Amino acid sequence: MSGTAADSPGGARREHPTPKLKSLRIRELTKWFADTAAVRGFDLEVAGGEFISLLGPSGCGKTTTLNCVAGLLEPDEGAIEIDGKDITRLAPEKRGFGMVFQNYALFPHLTIARNVGFGLEVRGIARDEIDRRTARALDLVQLGGLRSRYPGQLSGGQQQRVALARALVTEPPLILMDEPLSNLDAKLRLEMRLEIRRLHQSLGLTTLYVTHDQEEALSLSDRVVLMRDGVVEQAGTPEELYSQPRSLYVANFLGYRNLVPVQVGEIDGDVVRAATNGFRFTGTRRGALAVGGSAVATIRPKDVQVLASDPGRADTIGASIELAEFVGDGFEVSADAGSGQRFIARTVDRWSAGDRVSLRLPPERLLVFPTDR
């Protein structure tokens, strides 16, 4: 496989394989099920070598989109192109894509080597070539010594590696993954995330990945496409979505768990002053707001500062700790500020139920959005 050289951190030269495709283009994709549009006007361009995650809750249309790209579903409108060639109506077996499913779909009566090489057998590849490519694929996923075992003799993580090797063995132009880690425990998910990213980079793959796990999407992806009700809510780099959410939906999905309905009192550029139930907030504007209009102020738990009670401090809110849970690297607390308003905060300090505290919400971290639809 051809490649281009680049400097590694240690000064040595390393090879980056050239992706097998230049671009995947999805144009205005729409898919209906009865009178419900599972996907509506989905538009995306993927460059060769990119890792793209389709992120969102169940029912948002991400798997339907992936299945249309795979050829397992036929879209009602729109087009799918690979390097400028329309493949919208092409049979899935003729697309030559690698697929990794949530349930692995391994043949229990075939050895690991036969499972991995099955797609090559179906294509009529010579036995020597099948053996060579199967051995290489198993070595890539660090299972070279288990080729004679059967799926039932492997752990869940090992079975997932077999499924990944089976997708890689055909040397596909595009890898499609649908919630591939959802059946694994937390430790294995982390290990497999690292493995998937390593293989993606070392083999020059182009990957379209479906997940509902925001941490998974942010850690793996070059770009994330967050979907809602069949449409793209926001697409961009993980850093863009995490730091610059364009809507309350995006913010809430990516960790802004504190939501406070407010009335906008004053707008000065991007600075917003708002109030509710006697509380006053200063935050950063996101989207179109109007003085006197309704909005929602939101902030991540880790950005809420929990301080010793100081009723005289004007930039804080008095509250009482309701719950304090140890979460490994600190504590997550729920604090009752009165008038039905509660805040969730992350802190390294130990607090107990009943403690009086002052909460500071940094204006640059408190985002104020229009009321969500």
Side-chain angles (χ1 to χ4, degrees):
M1 182 179 291
S2 61
T4 57
D7 287 323
S8 68
R13 304 286 284 180
R14 56 190 174 89
E15 294 295 318
H16 291 286
T18 301
K20 286 182 170 290
L21 65 78
K22 294 180 180 178
S23 69
L24 162 68
R25 185 74 168 93
I26 306 173
R27 299 179 185 273
E28 298 298 317
L29 188 75
T30 297
K31 179 62 182 177
W32 292 82
F33 293 111
D35 59 351
T36 301
V39 180
R40 291 177 289 139
F42 184 95
D43 202 53
L44 178 68
E45 186 163 5
V46 180
E50 275 197 295
F51 194 116
I52 305 294
S53 285
L54 304 183
L55 175 66
S58 297
C60 73
K62 55 189 186 297
T63 293
T64 298
T65 301
L66 192 82
N67 285 338
C68 287
V69 174
L72 302 177
L73 289 174
E74 186 172 310
D76 295 300
E77 300 173 24
I80 301 166
E81 300 173 0
I82 291 288
D83 294 341
K85 178 184 177 182
D86 191 326
I87 63 165
T88 312
R89 309 291 180 234
L90 191 66
E93 66 273 13
K94 294 183 178 179
R95 301 186 185 200
F97 300 158
M99 292 201 66
V100 182
F101 298 97
Q102 180 177 346
N103 62 0
Y104 315 149
L106 302 179
F107 296 114
H109 61 290
L110 298 183
T111 64
I112 299 310
R114 287 288 308 282
N115 264 281
V116 172
F118 184 79
L120 299 176
E121 292 183 25
V122 171
R123 298 182 185 193
I125 304 296
R127 171 51 56 186
D128 288 350
E129 179 67 6
I130 292 176
D131 291 343
R132 183 189 69 80
R133 288 166 67 171
T134 296
R136 179 172 180 267
L138 286 171
D139 286 341
L140 284 171
V141 298
Q142 303 172 30
L143 290 178
L146 303 181
R147 57 181 295 116
S148 298
R149 294 192 185 181
Y150 290 85
Q153 298 173 304
L154 303 184
S155 68
Q158 289 172 328
Q159 290 183 37
Q160 185 58 277
R161 288 173 186 266
V162 174
L164 188 55
R166 183 181 56 191
L168 296 173
V169 75
T170 58
E171 300 177 1
L174 181 67
I175 294 282
L176 306 175
M177 299 190 186
D178 188 7
E179 303 271 12
L181 308 184
S182 60
N183 289 333
L184 304 180
D185 62 37
K187 181 175 181 293
L188 282 176
R189 282 202 304 272
L190 180 58
E191 291 176 358
M192 285 304 300
R193 265 170 37 193
L194 295 173
E195 187 72 10
I196 287 170
R197 187 63 188 176
R198 179 185 69 82
L199 290 169
H200 173 85
Q201 292 176 335
S202 64
L203 299 177
L205 301 176
T206 304
T207 304
L208 195 59
Y209 188 98
V210 162
T211 181
H212 65 272
D213 186 319
Q214 56 137 317
E215 183 178 321
E216 205 170 277
L218 296 178
S219 66
L220 282 169
S221 311
D222 297 309
R223 285 189 293 144
V224 176
V225 179
L226 181 57
M227 299 184 67
R228 177 187 191 184
D229 297 334
V231 300
V232 176
E233 187 77 10
Q234 184 174 345
T237 67
E239 293 85 357
E240 287 171 344
L241 267 70
Y242 186 85
S243 302
Q244 303 171 40
R246 294 179 187 168
S247 70
L248 181 60
Y249 174 83
V250 176
N252 190 221
F253 196 89
L254 294 179
Y256 285 81
R257 294 165 60 193
N258 294 297
L259 305 176
V260 185
V262 296
Q263 185 175 43
V264 177
E266 183 182 344
I267 301 174
D268 183 7
D270 285 337
V271 177
V272 180
R273 292 178 179 83
T276 184
N277 292 329
F279 302 120
R280 296 186 181 279
F281 302 93
T282 299
T284 301
R285 180 175 62 87
R286 285 286 189 268
L289 299 173
V291 173
S294 298
V296 176
T298 181
I299 190 169
R300 286 193 169 96
K302 73 179 185 64
D303 293 325
V304 177
Q305 298 173 8
V306 185
L307 310 172
S309 180
D310 184 359
R313 185 167 174 174
D315 64 342
T316 62
I317 297 170
S320 177
I321 300 296
E322 289 185 312
L323 297 170
E325 298 178 309
F326 179 65
V327 289
D329 57 351
F331 297 85
E332 182 167 289
V333 301
S334 174
D336 182 0
S339 300
Q341 183 61 57
R342 288 174 172 80
F343 291 92
I344 299 170
R346 285 287 184 102
T347 174
V348 297
D349 299 320
R350 182 185 292 273
W351 298 95
S352 300
D355 288 345
R356 291 294 301 174
V357 296
S358 291
L359 305 178
R360 181 176 182 271
L361 314 180
E364 69 278 9
R365 301 292 186 184
L366 183 75
L367 306 183
V368 184
F369 289 95
T371 303
D372 205 6
R373 66 180 188 272

